[in-house]
Amino acid sequence: GLDNAHTTYGVVYNDDSDWILSGRVEVFGQAAAPGQGLHAGAGVSVFYGDAGSDDVLGIGLSGNLRYVFPQANRFALTGQLILAPDITSFMDSDGYVDWSVQGEYELTREAHLFVGYRDIEVDVDTGPDVDFESGIYAGVSINF
């Protein structure tokens, strides 16, 4: 929800049988005057997985911006960025970048439909960077 802390958990699996488990804790609230529609969040993210033939583990910082259109408050645009530099990446990983942009439609206060674009890239010790996943996605977010 807005104006508080929340957690997010996820699993991403790709066509190459690579996988990443992730968890994130963020504080989220208004970033502008009330009624302006801009909200921001910052937090910490942890990831673990298998990218190529490499085991990856890291801790990243996350940032999140969400703009709710004041004239049509059921519609919103969201951007998210998670960065884990070399110093907070372990095992075979040298870094991690996960970014996305998405449009949302609020069905109810607790359920949102969304469609967006996401790119996940993992830097590894043993070879070239792994473009883990990039593409369009859609889904439903349920908050409780």
Side-chain angles (χ1 to χ4, degrees), residues 65-89:
L65 285 176
R66 184 169 192 261
Y67 181 73
V68 179
F69 294 92
Q71 304 84 0
N73 64 3
R74 288 186 176 261
F75 293 95
L77 291 176
T78 301
Q80 171 186 286
L81 176 65
I82 301 169
L83 291 174
D86 183 26
I87 196 163
T88 62
S89 298

Side-chain angles (χ1 to χ4, degrees), residues 1-132:
L2 299 177
D3 299 320
N4 57 23
H6 67 271
T7 60
T8 304
Y9 306 99
V11 177
V12 178
Y13 184 83
N14 68 16
D15 294 339
D16 297 327
S17 298
D18 301 329
W19 55 272
I20 290 182
L21 301 173
S22 64
R24 184 173 71 234
V25 176
E26 276 188 325
V27 177
F28 202 74
Q30 290 186 351
Q36 296 297 312
L38 184 62
H39 304 271
V44 177
S45 179
V46 176
F47 67 91
Y48 172 74
D50 179 55
S53 59
D54 299 296
D55 295 323
V56 296
L57 171 68
I59 302 168
L61 296 176
S62 66
N64 192 323
L65 285 176
R66 184 169 192 261
Y67 181 73
V68 179
F69 294 92
Q71 304 84 0
N73 64 3
R74 288 186 176 261
F75 293 95
L77 291 176
T78 301
Q80 171 186 286
L81 176 65
I82 301 169
L83 291 174
D86 183 26
I87 196 163
T88 62
S89 298
F90 310 102
M91 300 175 89
D92 298 325
S93 56
D94 279 338
Y96 176 85
V97 177
D98 179 347
W99 65 269
S100 65
V101 292
Q102 73 181 29
E104 301 176 8
Y105 177 74
E106 185 179 278
L107 294 171
T108 69
R109 288 273 181 226
E110 293 80 25
H112 299 189
L113 295 175
F114 58 83
V115 63
Y117 181 87
R118 184 175 186 185
D119 184 70
I120 303 171
E121 194 168 304
V122 181
D123 298 342
V124 293
D125 296 336
T126 59
D129 298 348
V130 177
D131 187 13
F132 190 85

